[in-house]
Structure formats: structure tokens, C-alpha cells
Coordinates of all heavy atoms in Angstrom, one line a residue:
M101 N 101.8 105.3 82.8 CA 101.9 106.1 84.1 C 103.0 107.1 84.2 O 103.4 107.4 85.2 CB 102.1 105.0 85.2 CG 100.8 104.2 85.5 SD 100.7 103.4 87.1 CE 102.3 103.8 87.9
A102 N 103.4 107.5 83.0 CA 104.4 108.5 82.9 C 104.1 109.7 83.8 O 103.0 110.1 83.8 CB 104.7 108.9 81.6
G103 N 105.1 110.2 84.6 CA 104.8 111.4 85.4 C 104.4 111.1 86.8 O 104.2 112.0 87.6
H104 N 104.1 109.8 87.1 CA 103.7 109.4 88.5 C 104.7 108.5 89.1 O 105.1 107.5 88.5 CB 102.4 108.7 88.4 CG 101.2 109.5 88.0 ND1 100.9 110.8 88.5 CD2 100.2 109.3 87.1 CE1 99.8 111.3 87.9 NE2 99.4 110.4 87.1
G105 N 105.2 108.7 90.2 CA 106.1 107.9 91.0 C 105.3 106.7 91.6 O 105.8 105.7 91.8
I106 N 104.1 106.9 91.9 CA 103.2 105.9 92.5 C 101.9 105.9 91.8 O 101.6 106.8 91.1 CB 102.9 106.1 94.1 CG1 102.2 107.4 94.2 CG2 104.2 106.1 94.8 CD1 101.7 107.5 95.6
P107 N 101.3 104.8 91.7 CA 99.9 104.6 90.9 C 98.9 105.5 91.5 O 98.8 105.7 92.7 CB 99.6 103.1 91.0 CG 100.4 102.6 92.2 CD 101.6 103.5 92.4
H108 N 98.1 106.0 90.6 CA 96.9 106.8 90.9 C 95.7 106.1 90.5 O 95.6 105.5 89.5 CB 96.9 108.1 90.2 CG 98.0 109.1 90.6 ND1 99.3 108.8 90.8 CD2 97.8 110.4 90.9 CE1 99.9 109.9 91.1 NE2 99.1 110.9 91.2
F109 N 94.6 106.1 91.4 CA 93.4 105.4 91.1 C 92.2 106.3 91.1 O 92.2 107.3 91.9 CB 93.2 104.2 92.2 CG 94.4 103.2 92.1 CD1 95.2 103.2 93.1 CD2 94.5 102.3 91.0 CE1 96.3 102.2 93.1 CE2 95.4 101.4 91.0 CZ 96.4 101.3 92.0
Q110 N 91.2 106.0 90.3 CA 90.0 106.8 90.2 C 88.8 105.9 90.3 O 88.9 104.6 90.2 CB 89.9 107.6 88.9 CG 90.1 106.7 87.6 CD 88.8 106.1 87.2 OE1 87.7 106.5 87.6 NE2 88.9 105.1 86.4
N111 N 87.7 106.5 90.7 CA 86.4 105.7 90.9 C 85.3 106.4 90.3 O 84.3 106.8 90.9 CB 86.3 105.5 92.4 CG 85.2 104.4 92.7 OD1 84.6 103.8 91.8 ND2 84.9 104.3 94.0
D112 N 85.3 106.5 89.0 CA 84.2 107.1 88.2 C 82.9 106.3 88.3 O 81.8 106.9 88.4 CB 84.5 107.2 86.7 CG 85.3 108.3 86.3 OD1 85.3 109.3 87.1 OD2 85.9 108.4 85.2
A113 N 82.9 105.0 88.5 CA 81.7 104.2 88.6 C 81.1 104.1 90.0 O 80.0 103.7 90.2 CB 82.1 102.7 88.2
G114 N 81.9 104.7 91.0 CA 81.3 104.7 92.3 C 81.3 103.4 93.0 O 80.5 103.1 93.8
Y115 N 82.2 102.5 92.8 CA 82.4 101.3 93.4 C 82.6 101.5 94.9 O 83.4 102.4 95.2 CB 83.6 100.5 92.8 CG 83.5 100.1 91.4 CD1 84.3 100.6 90.5 CD2 82.5 99.3 91.0 CE1 84.3 100.2 89.1 CE2 82.4 98.9 89.6 CZ 83.4 99.5 88.7 OH 83.3 99.1 87.4
P116 N 82.1 100.7 95.7 CA 82.2 100.8 97.2 C 83.6 100.4 97.5 O 84.3 100.9 98.5 CB 81.1 100.0 97.9 CG 80.7 99.0 96.9 CD 80.9 99.7 95.5
T117 N 84.2 99.4 97.0 CA 85.6 98.8 97.2 C 86.3 98.5 96.0 O 85.7 98.0 95.0 CB 85.3 97.4 97.9 OG1 84.6 97.6 99.2 CG2 86.6 96.8 98.3
I118 N 87.5 98.9 95.9 CA 88.4 98.6 94.8 C 89.7 97.9 95.4 O 90.4 98.3 96.3 CB 88.9 99.9 94.1 CG1 87.7 100.7 93.5 CG2 89.9 99.6 93.0 CD1 88.0 102.0 93.0
A119 N 90.0 96.7 94.8 CA 91.1 95.9 95.1 C 92.3 96.4 94.3 O 92.2 96.7 93.1 CB 90.9 94.5 94.9
I120 N 93.4 96.6 95.0 CA 94.6 97.1 94.3 C 95.9 96.3 94.7 O 95.8 95.6 95.8 CB 94.9 98.6 94.5 CG1 95.0 98.9 96.0 CG2 93.8 99.5 93.9 CD1 95.3 100.3 96.5
G121 N 96.9 96.3 94.1 CA 98.1 95.5 94.3 C 99.2 96.2 95.0 O 100.4 95.7 95.1
V122 N 99.0 97.5 95.6 CA 100.0 98.2 96.2 C 99.4 98.8 97.5 O 98.3 98.9 97.7 CB 100.4 99.4 95.3 CG1 101.2 99.0 94.1 CG2 99.3 100.3 94.9
T123 N 100.4 99.2 98.4 CA 100.0 99.7 99.8 C 100.2 101.2 99.7 O 99.7 101.9 100.7 CB 100.8 99.1 100.8 OG1 102.2 99.4 100.7 CG2 100.5 97.6 101.0
E124 N 100.8 101.8 98.8 CA 101.0 103.3 98.7 C 100.5 103.7 97.4 O 101.0 103.2 96.3 CB 102.5 103.7 98.9 CG 103.0 103.4 100.3 CD 104.5 103.9 100.4 OE1 105.2 104.2 99.4 OE2 104.9 103.9 101.6
F125 N 99.6 104.8 97.3 CA 99.0 105.1 96.1 C 98.3 106.5 96.3 O 98.2 107.0 97.4 CB 97.9 104.1 95.8 CG 96.8 103.8 96.8 CD1 95.6 104.5 96.7 CD2 97.1 103.0 97.8 CE1 94.6 104.3 97.7 CE2 96.1 102.8 98.8 CZ 94.9 103.4 98.7
M126 N 97.8 107.0 95.2 CA 97.0 108.2 95.2 C 95.6 107.9 94.8 O 95.4 107.1 93.8 CB 97.6 109.3 94.2 CG 99.1 109.7 94.5 SD 99.2 110.8 95.9 CE 98.8 112.4 95.1
C127 N 94.7 108.6 95.5 CA 93.2 108.5 95.0 C 92.9 110.0 94.5 O 93.3 111.0 95.1 CB 92.3 108.2 96.2 SG 90.6 108.2 95.7
V128 N 92.3 109.9 93.3 CA 91.8 111.2 92.7 C 90.3 111.3 92.6 O 89.8 112.3 92.2 CB 92.4 111.3 91.2 CG1 93.9 111.2 91.2 CG2 91.8 110.3 90.4
G129 N 89.6 110.3 93.2 CA 88.2 110.4 93.2 C 87.7 110.0 91.7 O 88.1 108.9 91.3
A130 N 87.0 110.9 91.2 CA 86.5 110.6 89.8 C 87.5 111.3 88.8 O 88.3 112.1 89.3 CB 85.1 111.2 89.6
N131 N 87.4 111.0 87.6 CA 88.3 111.6 86.6 C 87.9 113.1 86.5 O 86.8 113.5 86.7 CB 88.1 111.0 85.2 CG 88.9 109.7 85.0 OD1 90.1 109.7 85.3 ND2 88.2 108.7 84.6
P132 N 89.0 114.0 86.2 CA 88.8 115.4 86.1 C 87.6 115.6 85.0 O 87.6 114.9 84.1 CB 90.1 115.9 85.7 CG 91.1 114.9 86.2 CD 90.4 113.6 86.1
P133 N 86.9 116.7 85.2 CA 86.9 117.7 86.2 C 86.2 117.4 87.4 O 86.0 118.2 88.3 CB 86.3 118.8 85.5 CG 85.2 118.3 84.6 CD 85.8 116.9 84.1
F134 N 85.7 116.2 87.7 CA 85.0 115.8 88.9 C 85.9 115.1 90.0 O 85.3 114.5 90.9 CB 83.8 114.8 88.5 CG 83.0 115.5 87.4 CD1 83.1 115.0 86.1 CD2 82.2 116.5 87.7 CE1 82.3 115.5 85.2 CE2 81.4 117.1 86.7 CZ 81.4 116.5 85.3
D135 N 87.2 115.4 89.8 CA 88.1 114.8 90.8 C 88.1 115.6 92.2 O 87.5 116.6 92.2 CB 89.5 114.7 90.2 CG 90.0 116.1 89.8 OD1 89.2 116.9 89.5 OD2 91.3 116.2 89.7
H136 N 88.7 115.0 93.2 CA 88.9 115.6 94.5 C 90.4 115.9 94.5 O 91.2 115.4 93.7 CB 88.3 114.9 95.6 CG 88.8 113.5 95.9 ND1 90.2 113.2 96.0 CD2 88.2 112.2 96.0 CE1 90.4 111.9 96.3 NE2 89.1 111.3 96.2
P137 N 90.9 116.6 95.6 CA 92.3 116.7 95.7 C 93.0 115.4 95.7 O 92.5 114.4 96.3 CB 92.5 117.4 97.0 CG 91.2 118.2 97.3 CD 90.1 117.3 96.6
H138 N 94.0 115.3 94.9 CA 94.8 114.0 94.8 C 95.5 113.6 96.1 O 96.5 114.3 96.4 CB 95.7 114.1 93.6 CG 95.0 114.3 92.2 ND1 95.5 114.2 91.1 CD2 93.7 114.6 92.0 CE1 94.7 114.4 90.1 NE2 93.6 114.8 90.6
V139 N 95.0 112.7 96.8 CA 95.6 112.5 98.1 C 96.3 111.2 98.2 O 95.9 110.2 97.6 CB 94.3 112.4 99.1 CG1 93.3 111.3 98.7 CG2 94.7 112.1 100.5
F140 N 97.5 111.3 98.9 CA 98.3 110.1 99.1 C 97.8 109.3 100.1 O 97.5 109.8 101.2 CB 99.8 110.7 99.4 CG 100.8 109.5 99.7 CD1 101.3 108.8 98.7 CD2 101.0 109.3 101.0 CE1 102.2 107.7 99.0 CE2 101.9 108.2 101.3 CZ 102.5 107.5 100.4
L141 N 97.7 108.0 99.9 CA 97.2 107.1 101.0 C 98.2 106.0 101.1 O 98.9 105.5 100.2 CB 95.9 106.5 100.6 CG 94.8 107.5 100.3 CD1 93.5 106.8 99.8 CD2 94.5 108.2 101.7
D142 N 98.5 105.6 102.4 CA 99.5 104.6 102.8 C 98.8 103.6 103.6 O 98.3 104.0 104.8 CB 100.7 105.2 103.4 CG 101.9 104.2 103.7 OD1 101.6 103.0 103.6 OD2 102.9 104.6 104.1
M143 N 98.7 102.4 103.3 CA 98.0 101.4 104.1 C 98.9 100.9 105.2 O 98.4 100.4 106.2 CB 97.7 100.1 103.3 CG 96.6 100.3 102.3 SD 96.2 98.8 101.5 CE 95.3 99.3 100.0
G144 N 100.2 101.1 105.2 CA 101.1 100.7 106.3 C 101.0 99.2 106.4 O 101.0 98.4 105.4
D145 N 100.7 98.6 107.7 CA 100.5 97.3 107.9 C 99.1 96.7 107.7 O 98.9 95.6 107.8 CB 101.1 96.9 109.2 CG 102.5 97.2 109.5 OD1 103.3 97.0 108.5 OD2 103.0 97.4 110.6
D146 N 98.2 97.6 107.4 CA 96.8 97.2 107.2 C 96.7 96.7 105.7 O 97.5 96.9 104.9 CB 95.9 98.3 107.4 CG 96.0 98.9 108.8 OD1 96.1 98.1 109.8 OD2 95.7 100.1 109.1
I147 N 95.5 96.1 105.6 CA 95.2 95.6 104.1 C 94.0 96.4 103.5 O 93.6 96.1 102.4 CB 94.9 94.1 104.2 CG1 93.6 93.8 105.0 CG2 96.0 93.3 104.5 CD1 93.0 92.4 104.8
E148 N 93.5 97.4 104.2 CA 92.5 98.3 103.7 C 92.7 99.8 104.1 O 93.3 100.0 105.1 CB 91.2 97.8 104.3 CG 90.7 96.5 104.0 CD 89.3 96.2 104.5 OE1 88.9 96.8 105.5 OE2 88.6 95.4 103.9
K149 N 92.2 100.7 103.2 CA 92.4 102.1 103.6 C 91.2 102.8 102.9 O 90.8 102.5 101.7 CB 93.6 102.7 103.0 CG 94.0 104.1 103.4 CD 94.4 104.1 104.8 CE 95.0 105.5 105.2 NZ 95.5 105.5 106.5
V150 N 90.5 103.6 103.6 CA 89.3 104.5 103.1 C 89.9 105.8 102.7 O 90.6 106.5 103.4 CB 88.3 104.6 104.2 CG1 87.2 105.5 103.6 CG2 87.7 103.2 104.5
C151 N 89.5 106.2 101.5 CA 89.9 107.6 101.1 C 89.0 108.6 101.9 O 87.8 108.5 101.9 CB 89.6 107.8 99.6 SG 89.8 109.5 99.0
P152 N 89.6 109.6 102.5 CA 88.9 110.6 103.3 C 88.0 111.5 102.6 O 87.1 112.2 103.1 CB 90.0 111.3 104.1 CG 91.3 111.2 103.3 CD 91.1 109.9 102.5
Y153 N 88.3 111.6 101.2 CA 87.5 112.5 100.4 C 86.2 111.8 99.8 O 85.2 112.4 99.8 CB 88.3 113.1 99.3 CG 89.3 114.2 99.8 CD1 90.6 113.8 100.1 CD2 88.8 115.5 99.9 CE1 91.5 114.8 100.5 CE2 89.7 116.5 100.4 CZ 91.0 116.1 100.7 OH 91.9 117.1 101.1
C154 N 86.4 110.7 99.1 CA 85.3 110.1 98.5 C 84.8 108.7 99.1 O 83.9 108.1 98.5 CB 85.8 109.7 96.9 SG 87.1 108.5 96.8
S155 N 85.4 108.4 100.2 CA 85.0 107.2 101.0 C 85.1 105.8 100.2 O 84.5 104.9 100.6 CB 83.6 107.3 101.4 OG 83.5 108.5 102.3
T156 N 86.0 105.8 99.1 CA 86.2 104.6 98.4 C 87.1 103.6 99.4 O 88.1 104.2 99.9 CB 87.0 104.8 97.1 OG1 86.1 105.6 96.3 CG2 87.3 103.5 96.4
L157 N 86.8 102.5 99.5 CA 87.5 101.5 100.3 C 88.5 100.9 99.4 O 88.0 100.2 98.5 CB 86.6 100.5 101.0 CG 87.4 99.4 101.8 CD1 88.2 99.9 102.9 CD2 86.4 98.3 102.2
Y158 N 89.8 101.0 99.6 CA 90.8 100.3 98.9 C 91.2 99.1 99.7 O 91.6 99.2 100.8 CB 91.9 101.2 98.6 CG 91.7 102.3 97.6 CD1 91.2 103.6 98.0 CD2 91.7 102.0 96.2 CE1 90.9 104.5 97.0 CE2 91.4 103.0 95.3 CZ 90.9 104.3 95.7 OH 90.6 105.2 94.8
R159 N 91.3 97.9 99.0 CA 91.7 96.8 99.6 C 92.9 96.1 99.0 O 92.9 95.9 97.8 CB 90.6 95.7 99.7 CG 90.8 94.4 100.4 CD 89.6 93.5 100.7 NE 88.8 94.3 101.5 CZ 87.4 94.3 101.4 NH1 86.8 93.8 100.3 NH2 86.6 94.8 102.2
L160 N 94.0 95.7 99.7 CA 95.1 95.1 99.2 C 94.8 93.7 98.6 O 94.3 92.8 99.3 CB 96.3 95.1 100.1 CG 97.6 94.4 99.7 CD1 98.1 95.2 98.5 CD2 98.5 94.3 100.8
D161 N 95.2 93.5 97.3 CA 95.1 92.1 96.8 C 96.5 91.9 96.2 O 96.9 92.3 95.1 CB 94.0 92.0 95.8 CG 94.0 90.7 95.1 OD1 94.9 89.8 95.2 OD2 93.0 90.4 94.4
P162 N 97.4 91.2 96.9 CA 98.8 91.0 96.4 C 98.9 90.2 95.1 O 100.0 90.2 94.5 CB 99.4 90.1 97.6 CG 98.5 89.9 98.5 CD 97.2 90.5 98.2
T163 N 97.8 89.6 94.5 CA 97.9 88.9 93.3 C 97.8 89.9 92.2 O 98.1 89.5 91.0 CB 96.7 87.9 93.2 OG1 95.5 88.5 93.2 CG2 96.8 86.8 94.4
L164 N 97.3 91.2 92.5 CA 97.3 92.1 91.4 C 98.6 92.9 91.2 O 99.3 93.1 92.2 CB 96.2 93.2 91.8 CG 94.8 92.7 91.9 CD1 93.9 93.7 92.4 CD2 94.3 92.2 90.5
K165 N 98.9 93.2 90.0 CA 100.0 94.1 89.7 C 99.8 95.5 90.0 O 98.7 95.9 90.3 CB 100.4 93.9 88.2 CG 100.8 92.5 87.8 CD 101.1 92.5 86.3 CE 101.5 91.0 85.9 NZ 101.5 90.9 84.5
E166 N 100.8 96.3 90.0 CA 100.8 97.8 90.4 C 99.7 98.5 89.7 O 99.1 99.5 90.3 CB 102.2 98.4 90.4 CG 102.2 99.8 90.7 CD 103.6 100.4 90.7 OE1 104.5 100.1 91.4 OE2 103.8 101.2 89.8
T167 N 99.5 98.2 88.4 CA 98.6 99.0 87.6 C 97.2 98.2 87.3 O 96.5 98.7 86.6 CB 99.3 99.2 86.2 OG1 99.6 97.9 85.6 CG2 100.5 100.0 86.3
E168 N 97.0 97.1 88.1 CA 95.7 96.4 88.0 C 94.8 96.7 89.1 O 95.2 97.0 90.3 CB 96.0 94.9 88.0 CG 96.8 94.4 86.9 CD 97.0 92.9 86.9 OE1 97.4 92.4 87.9 OE2 97.0 92.2 85.8
T169 N 93.6 96.7 88.8 CA 92.5 96.9 89.8 C 91.3 95.9 89.6 O 91.2 95.4 88.6 CB 91.8 98.3 89.8 OG1 91.1 98.5 88.5 CG2 92.9 99.4 90.0
S170 N 90.6 95.6 90.7 CA 89.4 94.8 90.5 C 88.4 95.5 91.4 O 88.5 95.7 92.5 CB 89.7 93.5 91.2 OG 88.5 92.6 91.0
P171 N 87.3 96.0 90.7 CA 87.0 95.8 89.3 C 88.0 96.5 88.4 O 88.7 97.5 88.8 CB 85.6 96.4 89.1 CG 85.3 97.2 90.4 CD 86.3 96.7 91.4
A172 N 88.2 96.0 87.1 CA 89.1 96.6 86.2 C 88.8 98.1 85.8 O 87.6 98.4 85.9 CB 89.2 95.8 85.0
G173 N 89.7 98.8 85.4 CA 89.5 100.2 84.9 C 89.5 101.3 85.8 O 89.1 102.4 85.5
C174 N 90.1 101.0 87.1 CA 90.2 102.1 88.0 C 91.5 102.8 88.1 O 91.7 103.6 89.0 CB 89.8 101.6 89.4 SG 88.0 101.1 89.4
L175 N 92.5 102.4 87.3 CA 93.7 103.1 87.2 C 93.6 104.4 86.6 O 93.0 104.6 85.4 CB 94.8 102.2 86.4 CG 96.1 102.9 86.3 CD1 96.9 102.8 87.6 CD2 97.0 102.1 85.2
Y176 N 94.0 105.5 87.2 CA 94.0 106.9 86.6 C 95.1 107.1 85.7 O 96.3 106.9 86.0 CB 94.0 107.9 87.7 CG 94.1 109.3 87.2 CD1 93.1 109.9 86.5 CD2 95.2 110.0 87.4 CE1 93.1 111.2 86.0 CE2 95.3 111.4 87.0 CZ 94.3 111.8 86.3 OH 94.4 113.2 85.8
V177 N 94.8 107.4 84.4 CA 95.8 107.7 83.4 C 95.5 109.1 83.0 O 94.4 109.4 82.3 CB 95.7 106.7 82.2 CG1 96.8 107.1 81.2 CG2 95.9 105.3 82.7
P178 N 96.3 110.1 83.2 CA 96.1 111.4 82.8 C 96.1 111.6 81.3 O 96.8 110.8 80.6 CB 97.3 112.2 83.3 CG 98.2 111.3 84.1 CD 97.6 109.9 83.9
R179 N 95.1 112.3 80.8 CA 95.0 112.5 79.3 C 96.0 113.7 78.9 O 96.1 114.6 79.5 CB 93.6 112.8 79.0 CG 92.6 111.6 79.3 CD 91.2 112.0 79.2 NE 90.4 111.2 80.0 CZ 89.5 110.4 79.4 NH1 89.3 110.4 78.2 NH2 88.8 109.6 80.2
A180 N 96.5 113.4 77.7 CA 97.4 114.5 77.1 C 96.6 115.7 76.8 O 95.5 115.6 76.4 CB 98.0 114.0 75.9
A181 N 97.3 116.9 77.1 CA 96.6 118.2 76.9 C 96.5 118.5 75.4 O 97.1 118.1 74.6 CB 97.3 119.3 77.7

């Protein structure tokens, strides 16, 4: 996750809901070049947040680590140029 202060998540598979272990994060939509503007989302005191661009529902699961998702594989990792 070098280069990111907070985790970034992507949803290439089009999952309706992704469980994550943090309340502040970035959603990138699908992986580039099919991404949307990278938007900062903050759940605040809630346990769910919908991305306004791709409509992915992110749900807090405190048993997950910062870089884990359920379903697995939704952590966005930028590829080296």
C-alpha cells in the first residue's frame, strides 16, 4: 500500500456489498482504466457507506484487518508503471 495514507478498494467483480475493516477509505470503482474518480468515504458512526459513483455498499466488519476484504481481492494495489 505504499503511497496511500488510507486503504483504497476496487470492485472489478461488481459485488453489491464489500465488507472492510476500516471506516475511512477510498473507492476507485474498477481497476484503471475503468475506474471512477477516487473518492474518499468516511462512515463516521455508521457501519455502512454507499459509494456515490459506483453504488458499491461498503460494510464495516471489525474482524477484518485494514487490508482485508470480504469477498477477498477488493484491495486496490496500484501497479508499477
Side-chain angles (χ1 to χ4, degrees):
M101 285 198 3
H104 294 311
I106 60 170
H108 288 52
F109 299 107
Q110 55 82 19
N111 190 5
D112 277 339
Y115 298 117
T117 303
I118 298 173
I120 58 176
V122 294
T123 58
E124 295 182 347
F125 58 97
M126 300 283 282
C127 179
V128 303
N131 277 310
F134 305 107
D135 55 337
H136 61 54
H138 298 194
V139 59
F140 175 79
L141 299 171
D142 184 349
M143 290 186 197
D145 292 331
D146 296 329
I147 61 166
E148 296 180 337
K149 188 74 169 186
V150 174
C151 174
Y153 286 96
C154 65
S155 299
T156 299
L157 173 64
Y158 289 95
R159 182 172 291 138
L160 178 63
D161 179 347
T163 65
L164 295 173
K165 295 179 182 168
E166 182 177 288
T167 59
E168 294 178 320
T169 64
S170 179
C174 296
L175 179 69
Y176 171 67
V177 178
R179 298 173 198 245

